[in-house]
Amino acid sequence: MSNNSAIGVFDSGIGGLTVVKSIVESMPQENIIYFGDTAHVPYGTRSKRQILHYVLSDVKFLNTFDLKAVVIACNTADSVARQAVEDAYPDLPVFGVVDPASRLAAAQTRNKKIGVIATKATVESGAYEKAIAAYDSEVDVLSAACPLLVPLVENGRFQVGDIVIETVVREYLDPLLAEGIDTLVLGCTHYPLLQDVITHLYPDLNVISSSDAAAAKLLGTLIREGLCNEEPGSDRKYFVSDDAEGVDKLARVFMREDLGGTFRQVDVE
Amino acid sequence: MSNNSAIGVFDSGIGGLTVVKSIVESMPQENIIYFGDTAHVPYGTRSKRQILHYVLSDVKFLNTFDLKAVVIACNTADSVARQAVEDAYPDLPVFGVVDPASRLAAAQTRNKKIGVIATKATVESGAYEKAIAAYDSEVDVLSAACPLLVPLVENGRFQVGDIVIETVVREYLDPLLAEGIDTLVLGCTHYPLLQDVITHLYPDLNVISSSDAAAAKLLGTLIREGLCNEEPGSDRKYFVSDDAEGVDKLARVFMREDLGGTFRQVDVE
């Protein structure tokens, strides 16, 4: 069995490309439609009401394509609007980032103390606490909203030795480490780029990328249901809601050069 | 003569409150309607097309009130959309931030080298270069887009001695100082909060706040045209497009506690 319908992936901006990167690494033959809502980025500092409104527009656009799955790559969108998406599109297989990362973290922690770093909206939603408790009710979850990490990453500040990013990461993470966490979930699409900095500062910490976890879950499901694409010649289409000019350059940072396409502007509202 | 119609002020978010603060300091008796487009903040990283769309919605909302003036407090909006606002509302007296700050800088520079720090959209518009050249065509203008300053200020990083803000400010400003600027325009509503840090790092630099300059020009015009409010009991109304919850707290940072009102949510699109 083979299915060459596309996988739709959306995010508030282009950080969701870390999920595309993870998908491409494990499923290079899949066709992908990516949409980044750059006219409204960031979601993580906005209200639930506003996020719901934007997310439903995003899915409505993706749903104009022939899809076999939609991936909510944005932790904020997944935390706040997942249920609304499933209610609005009951026939669409929806994948998120929070559940796969929570499952992995609950399985890997040894002392049952997990840290989660994410946007303000994700932390306030309590989505990670709820998802992790569903896998192991005895785990303590310590969450920290890290509003400076997205702008710092988007401005290229993710190098080991950069005093700016290292100071800010320490301020966010030291209190979680002081509480004894042994596992940390990177609960935002931008944070996988900080993996080197975090591992440099905290070499014993077990770090889980929600982007990798999401791709692994998607792959498992497609294999199990016989929905992988086995035809050659995969295609990737990239869209943004604000102007596409200059987006490719930043996009390559998240895709580590392997973009395999170019961004186009589209109005979705 | 007295005129108790309100002064309408808008910004992409709540940074424009530094302009309100400057207005209140020099004209405490004026009634003010403030609108912050927090559902779409920030403007400074978006395209011209998107900024125009948002700005015209902002002015449309403010124009539902009885106003004697509209102040475009956002440097990005003023740089990119000033002409569009004047074209759409020919009878509305529109005040900006770019022109008053440019006039002051051109008058104060001694070596005719002026630095301007602002958002990416403001710098790309060339608005400051054009406005300063209109006052003195012999002045060299050196502009720098400083995308990290807004998120840093919004996260409270504007204290002297904070290595994060001082490192980032140095990276942006050292190249301008190396070119010999003697005057620096703070071309974004958030930057007046960085005045202490900048003066600490560069004690000989003449620093001009576009927020103060805008308020001074508005005051001069109201006095000249006999439009000041001389009735007692001024009123300030504050609106935002995303949820108002939590906004008052950050707003007090920009107003140095003197908010004199509370924020309400309003849909403008």
Side-chain angles (χ1 to χ4, degrees):
Chain A
M1 242 191 337
S2 173
N3 183 318
N4 69 353
S5 299
I7 298 166
V9 181
F10 75 95
D11 179 47
S12 57
I14 61 169
L17 290 174
T18 58
V19 177
V20 174
K21 175 74 178 157
S22 299
I23 292 173
V24 168
E25 278 171 356
S26 55
M27 297 167 265
Q29 77 290 2
E30 295 296 335
N31 299 310
I32 294 174
I33 315 276
Y34 183 84
F35 174 67
D37 190 15
T38 53
H40 304 117
V41 72
Y43 288 176
T45 52
R46 305 200 196 283
S47 69
K48 182 172 177 178
R49 184 182 59 82
Q50 200 69 45
I51 295 165
L52 279 170
H53 173 69
Y54 291 149
V55 168
L56 290 172
S57 295
D58 300 341
V59 180
K60 189 176 172 190
F61 167 69
L62 279 181
N63 200 39
T64 60
F65 296 88
D66 171 34
L67 301 180
K68 60 184 170 189
V70 162
V71 181
I72 307 177
C74 176
N75 278 266
T76 302
D78 191 27
S79 297
V80 170
R82 172 69 177 267
Q83 193 59 52
V85 171
E86 291 183 345
D87 291 349
Y89 299 92
D91 298 328
L92 203 60
V94 177
F95 292 79
V97 281
V98 174
D99 181 73
S102 296
R103 180 160 176 258
L104 220 58
Q108 292 183 359
T109 180
R110 295 185 174 191
N111 70 358
K112 296 192 185 289
K113 286 192 179 179
I114 296 173
V116 176
I117 55 172
T119 64
K120 181 170 167 279
T122 298
V123 169
E124 286 178 356
S125 76
Y128 270 101
E129 282 82 349
K130 200 174 153 193
I132 291 170
Y135 289 110
D136 187 341
S137 61
E138 287 175 13
V139 168
D140 274 342
V141 179
L142 295 115
S143 300
C146 305
L148 276 172
L149 297 186
V150 167
L152 286 169
V153 166
E154 292 206 339
N155 283 279
R157 320 269 338 198
F158 46 77
Q159 310 296 336
V160 170
D162 176 354
I163 193 164
V164 171
I165 190 66
E166 290 194 353
T167 302
V168 172
V169 165
R170 270 186 204 281
E171 286 178 21
Y172 288 137
L173 287 186
D174 278 356
L176 303 185
L177 271 292
E179 294 282 336
I181 62 162
D182 71 347
T183 296
L184 177 73
V185 175
L186 306 181
C188 171
T189 53
H190 285 66
Y191 300 174
L193 278 83
L194 294 170
Q195 179 115 27
D196 289 351
V197 168
I198 293 170
T199 301
H200 172 73
L201 295 175
Y202 310 99
D204 297 331
L205 191 61
N206 176 38
V207 180
I208 291 174
S209 154
S210 56
S211 300
D212 286 345
K217 171 156 181 184
L218 176 65
L219 176 62
T221 306
L222 294 184
I223 290 173
R224 204 167 55 243
E225 301 189 359
L227 292 174
C228 294
N229 182 29
E230 282 153 24
E231 295 171 27
S234 72
D235 182 41
R236 293 182 224 159
K237 289 188 172 65
Y238 296 100
F239 299 92
V240 280
S241 50
D242 199 350
D243 283 7
E245 197 190 333
V247 172
D248 288 353
K249 193 180 155 204
L250 184 55
R252 281 195 196 89
V253 173
F254 288 96
M255 290 294 288
R256 315 262 163 113
E257 295 304 322
D258 181 23
L259 194 56
T262 192
F263 274 89
R264 277 177 286 175
Q265 196 275 330
V266 65
D267 282 316
V268 301
E269 275 199 293
Chain B
M1 240 187 344
S2 173
N3 183 319
N4 68 354
S5 299
I7 297 165
V9 181
F10 76 95
D11 178 48
S12 56
I14 61 167
L17 291 174
T18 58
V19 177
V20 174
K21 174 75 176 158
S22 298
I23 294 173
V24 169
E25 278 171 356
S26 54
M27 298 167 264
Q29 77 290 0
E30 294 297 334
N31 299 308
I32 294 172
I33 315 278
Y34 183 85
F35 174 67
D37 190 14
T38 53
H40 304 117
V41 73
Y43 288 176
T45 52
R46 304 200 197 284
S47 69
K48 181 173 178 178
R49 185 183 57 83
Q50 200 69 45
I51 295 165
L52 279 170
H53 173 70
Y54 291 147
V55 167
L56 289 172
S57 294
D58 301 342
V59 180
K60 189 175 173 192
F61 167 69
L62 279 181
N63 200 38
T64 60
F65 295 89
D66 171 33
L67 301 180
K68 60 184 171 190
V70 162
V71 180
I72 307 178
C74 176
N75 278 267
T76 302
D78 191 26
S79 296
V80 171
R82 172 69 178 267
Q83 193 59 53
V85 171
E86 292 183 346
D87 291 349
Y89 299 91
D91 298 328
L92 203 60
V94 178
F95 292 80
V97 280
V98 174
D99 181 73
S102 297
R103 181 161 175 257
L104 221 57
Q108 292 184 358
T109 181
R110 294 184 176 192
N111 69 358
K112 296 192 184 288
K113 288 193 177 178
I114 296 173
V116 175
I117 55 173
T119 64
K120 180 169 167 279
T122 297
V123 169
E124 286 177 357
S125 75
Y128 270 101
E129 281 83 349
K130 200 174 153 195
I132 291 170
Y135 290 109
D136 187 341
S137 62
E138 289 175 13
V139 168
D140 274 344
V141 179
L142 295 115
S143 300
C146 305
L148 276 172
L149 297 186
V150 167
L152 286 168
V153 166
E154 292 205 339
N155 283 279
R157 320 274 329 203
F158 46 78
Q159 311 295 337
V160 170
D162 176 353
I163 193 164
V164 171
I165 189 66
E166 290 194 353
T167 302
V168 173
V169 166
R170 269 185 204 281
E171 287 179 22
Y172 289 136
L173 287 186
D174 278 356
L176 302 186
L177 271 291
E179 295 282 337
I181 62 161
D182 72 346
T183 297
L184 178 72
V185 175
L186 306 181
C188 171
T189 54
H190 285 67
Y191 300 174
L193 278 83
L194 293 170
Q195 178 114 29
D196 289 351
V197 168
I198 293 170
T199 301
H200 172 72
L201 295 175
Y202 309 99
D204 296 331
L205 192 60
N206 175 39
V207 180
I208 291 174
S209 154
S210 57
S211 300
D212 286 346
K217 171 156 181 184
L218 176 65
L219 175 63
T221 306
L222 294 185
I223 290 173
R224 204 167 56 243
E225 302 190 357
L227 293 173
C228 296
N229 182 29
E230 281 153 25
E231 294 172 27
S234 73
D235 183 41
R236 294 183 223 157
K237 290 188 172 64
Y238 296 100
F239 300 92
V240 279
S241 50
D242 198 350
D243 283 6
E245 198 189 333
V247 172
D248 287 355
K249 193 179 157 208
L250 184 56
R252 280 195 196 89
V253 172
F254 288 96
M255 290 293 288
R256 314 265 162 111
E257 294 303 324
D258 180 23
L259 195 56
T262 191
F263 274 89
R264 278 177 285 174
Q265 197 274 330
V266 65
D267 283 315
V268 301
E269 275 199 297

